[in-house]
């Protein structure tokens, strides 16, 4: 039970720690100064949301996310959210493929070869079906966490400072809701695909509490470190590099590799959510479905996504908040029945 629970925990963290999170960009956008309470709130909301979704997934032995949406939103809204999740996963995966190509270009690998490498690695992953996805996260995510946390601890000397925090000035607490909402919808696509692989309720508890606490602690450390270099963050596209400037160059190379793997795990989560959704409609192996999907995505990596993101993401933000509210009130509604 413990081992399986930890395996799902790393899958959840792998879905969450995408390139936006690992680079510090997402955290800085939502949190920053006066956000300690917001991060504590986010931790609680994330544990509760993950538990509710995983629990439905486990009880109904799901292998894609539609049954979860039906339970939480009803038939009519499921159609809308299904379309939205497919579009969200598709666009973010295209962005990750482009990011995978661009980040290798820094090391002198041509853009298209970089996209070819990340695409091939994604297709190979699904030769092992669901197991490939879970195994990859179980190997990559612990390494990612250890590296990230060691940089943050070395940088921020958090020890005695937590007690000195000014808990009275915590104006940013509403960010906890928007940050959780942003991350919970893509998570449904992954959690909906593993219901029938879970053996016990204990796994649900371990995965939800373990992932929430781990992400809460990392977010707290990361945000605390970033607030100490507030003036320099503006100079960096990737806030993480503002923390690394006093480190030897080799550390920047190591962390750039880490960011590439964060891009890879996000792309893998996106492809995983999509292929498990369509598997029932087209009866073919997961790797072949992944190959077809990725081949449709590669030409899209040349499209300027900034406008698409600028239009889509605010809409997602509102719809995600409604979804988060549905997740949070679900246990109360169930008690009422």
């Amino acid at each position: 039970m413990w081992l399986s629970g930890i395996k799902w925990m790393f899958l959840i963290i792998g879905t969450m720690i995408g390139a936006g999170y690992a680079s510090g960009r997402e955290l800085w956008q939502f949190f920053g100064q006066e956000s300690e309470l917001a991060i504590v709130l986010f931790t609680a909301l994330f544990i509760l949301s993950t538990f509710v979704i995983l629990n439905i997934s486990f009880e109904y032995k799901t292998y894609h996310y539609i049954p979860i949406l039906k339970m939480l939103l009803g038939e009519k809204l499921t159609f809308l959210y299904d379309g939205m999740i497919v579009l969200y996963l598709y666009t973010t995966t295209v962005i990750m493929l482009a990011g995978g190509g661009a980040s290798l270009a820094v090391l002198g690998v041509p853009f298209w070869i970089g996209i070819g490498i990340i695409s091939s690695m994604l297709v190979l992953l699904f030769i092992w079906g669901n197991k490939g996805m879970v195994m990859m996260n179980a190997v990559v995510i612990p390494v990612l966490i250890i590296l990230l946390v060691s940089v943050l601890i070395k940088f921020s000397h958090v020890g005695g400072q937590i007690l000195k925090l000014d808990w009275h000035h915590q104006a940013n607490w509403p960010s906890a809701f928007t940050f959780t909402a942003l991350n919970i919808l893509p998570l449904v696509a992954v959690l909906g695909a593993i219901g029938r692989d879970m053996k016990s309720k204990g796994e649900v508890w371990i995965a939800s509490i373990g992932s929430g606490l781990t992400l809460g602690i990392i977010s707290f450390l990361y945000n605390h470190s970033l607030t100490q270099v507030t003036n320099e963050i503006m100079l960096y596209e990737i806030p993480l590099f503002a923390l690394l400037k006093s480190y030897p160059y080799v550390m920047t190379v190591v962390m750039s590799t880490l960011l590439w793997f964060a891009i890879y795990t996000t792309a893998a989560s996106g492809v995983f959510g999509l292929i498990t959704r369509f598997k029932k409609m087209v009866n073919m192996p997961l790797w072949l479905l992944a190959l077809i999907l990725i081949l449709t995505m590669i030409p899209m990596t040349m499209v300027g996504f900034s406008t698409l993101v600028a239009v889509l993401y605010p809409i997602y933000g509102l719809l995600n908040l409604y979804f988060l509210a549905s997740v949070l009130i679900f246990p109360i509604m169930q008690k009422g029945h």
Side-chain angles (χ1 to χ4, degrees):
M1 180 183 84
W2 279 97
L3 270 177
S4 294
I6 289 165
K7 186 173 71 177
W8 307 131
M9 178 184 103
F10 284 130
L11 180 66
I12 294 165
I13 295 170
T15 306
M16 247 307 276
I17 298 194
Y21 184 97
S23 67
R25 174 59 55 201
E26 210 174 89
L27 276 172
W28 190 244
Q29 195 177 331
F30 281 88
F31 296 129
Q33 308 287 354
E34 295 191 14
S35 290
E36 290 79 15
L37 181 60
I39 292 170
V40 172
L41 249 176
F42 152 69
T43 307
L45 289 168
F46 189 85
I47 290 172
L48 182 57
S49 309
T50 310
F51 179 81
V52 169
I53 295 163
L54 263 183
N55 200 36
I56 298 170
S57 182
F58 168 66
E59 285 185 359
Y60 288 83
K61 297 291 171 207
T62 58
Y63 52 92
H64 59 73
Y65 59 81
I66 294 292
I68 296 174
L69 293 185
K70 283 184 178 167
M71 285 293 294
L72 292 168
L73 302 164
E75 289 280 349
K76 284 181 185 164
L77 281 175
T78 291
F79 181 74
L80 168 71
Y81 276 84
D82 179 27
M84 206 172 90
I85 289 176
V86 168
L87 191 59
Y88 181 91
L89 294 176
Y90 193 91
T91 49
T92 48
T93 308
V94 171
I95 293 164
M96 291 305 137
L97 289 180
S103 55
L104 286 179
V106 177
L107 303 172
V109 178
F111 180 71
W112 287 111
I113 292 175
I115 286 182
I117 291 169
I118 193 167
S119 301
S120 310
M121 282 177 69
L122 286 168
V123 175
L124 283 171
L125 184 66
F126 292 106
I127 288 173
W128 294 276
N130 286 16
K131 283 196 184 78
M133 179 73 187
V134 175
M135 273 162 40
M136 182 270 293
N137 276 293
V139 172
V140 171
I141 297 305
V143 177
L144 237 148
I145 290 171
I146 290 163
L147 277 171
L148 194 54
V149 169
S150 54
V151 166
L152 298 175
I153 287 176
K154 192 167 186 298
F155 184 86
S156 75
H157 325 295
V158 169
Q161 297 188 23
I162 291 176
L163 299 173
K164 294 181 204 163
L165 287 172
D166 185 359
W167 292 95
H168 298 294
H169 294 96
Q170 293 293 321
N172 200 26
W173 64 268
S175 293
F177 292 92
T178 44
F179 187 66
T180 312
L182 171 80
N183 288 294
I184 214 72
L185 202 62
L187 203 56
V188 174
V190 171
L191 299 185
I194 61 169
R196 64 175 178 182
D197 295 328
M198 288 198 273
K199 305 287 185 290
S200 72
K201 190 75 169 269
E203 293 173 32
V204 176
W205 285 101
I206 293 163
S208 342
I209 295 171
S211 59
L213 287 177
T214 306
L215 287 164
I217 290 163
I218 296 172
S219 302
F220 199 97
L221 280 171
Y222 210 153
N223 191 63
H224 185 81
S225 301
L226 292 174
T227 54
Q228 292 174 279
V229 288
T230 305
N231 302 331
E232 289 151 42
I233 286 178
M234 308 304 283
L235 308 174
Y236 291 86
E237 180 68 25
I238 296 172
L240 175 63
F241 290 156
L243 304 179
L244 289 173
K245 68 174 193 309
S246 57
Y247 282 78
Y249 176 70
V250 69
M251 198 61 191
T252 307
V253 174
V254 168
M255 291 318 253
S256 300
T257 311
L258 175 145
L259 284 178
W260 188 89
F261 275 104
I263 289 170
Y264 179 67
T265 57
T266 308
S269 296
V271 174
F272 184 56
L274 289 167
I275 59 181
T276 50
R277 169 68 187 92
F278 295 126
K279 174 99 170 72
K280 204 177 178 188
M281 300 177 194
V282 285
N283 196 14
M284 56 173 72
L286 288 183
W287 69 267
L288 187 55
L289 205 48
L291 175 65
I292 293 165
L293 256 175
I294 289 165
L295 287 174
T296 67
M297 290 173 178
I298 290 172
M300 305 276 285
T301 54
M302 292 310 288
V303 179
F305 268 96
S306 52
T307 44
L308 184 66
V309 169
V311 174
L312 279 182
Y313 278 42
I315 301 168
Y316 280 136
L318 287 171
L319 291 169
N320 285 11
L321 277 170
Y322 178 80
F323 180 73
L324 177 64
S326 304
V327 172
L328 297 176
I329 62 168
F330 182 76
I332 303 161
M333 301 291 281
Q334 287 296 96
K335 282 206 171 80
H337 280 291

